[in-house]
Amino acid sequence: MLKIGQINPLKVVGEFPFGYQLSHADDDRSIVLTEEVEQPLAVDSEVQAMVYTGENGQLAASLVTPKILAGEVKVLKAVGVTDFAAFFDWGLPRDLMVPRQNQAMPVNQGMVYPVYLYFDEPTGRLLGTTKLHPFLSENGIYFKAGQEVELIVCGQTDLGYKVVINQTHLGLVFASDAFKKLRIGDETTGYIKQVREDGKIDVALQQVNATGRDALQQAILDDLEAHGGFSTLTDKSPPEEIYAHFNVSKAAYKRALGALYKQQKIKLDKQKITLVE
């Protein structure tokens, strides 16, 4: 089945002065490849190409994989804005259109936004949208606490930050768990904190289970060993210094220091941490 907006296996059925005519085994529509190719394509040869909708609704192909495929969310840059739509660079000659009714908020030229790409059956075109809720699930039944996931920040609320999880779901990073500055469009790794009874997904930027705590404690001990048994990075240090060194929040760092102190593995004072021999 031909998948518009995806990479498809296509056959070269003809050559023209302006390009090539391609076809799909399960679809009788003509697909035109007009971009320059490094090597001439032989008739009856096969290629892997992205199929998209060109001007006048004609199917077009590209041998270049674009920045986004149908069914994906990617961070794209707005390169043009009109009264009826915004246009984004997605790596193809014709910019991706996001109609005004598909914009979660007014788009500003030059800024980046998380965009979802889909094939719009009524118009027969590939369109983008920054309104993600109609396309992504908020039910995290198949996720497990502690699971590592890939995140894209897509919005901000009074509670924290809305995030896209693994391209398929929407979740929330509470402000208290956002120990570093986040901006819409940021991409980062996170961890499932919990799946609530209503299925909604809470996400953290660091491991919050025993495994994560033990790993941080060991990282602190390893760091002390590597620096002669002491460190000036204490529980009084600025949060940004702690994050830069260990990629964790100040609260998590303080908990790890407290655990190591109780285990009598370190000594603490205001100026330094010392490894117990």
Side-chain angles (χ1 to χ4, degrees), residues 215-235:
L216 176 55
Q217 291 174 33
Q218 188 58 52
I220 293 171
L221 294 175
D222 291 344
D223 185 68
L224 288 168
E225 287 275 7
H227 293 87
F230 77 94
S231 170
T232 57
L233 193 69
T234 71
D235 57 355

Side-chain angles (χ1 to χ4, degrees), residues 80 85 101 109 124 131 140 189 217 269:
Q101 64 268 25
Q109 184 172 332
K131 293 181 178 179
T189 299
Q217 291 174 33
D269 62 46

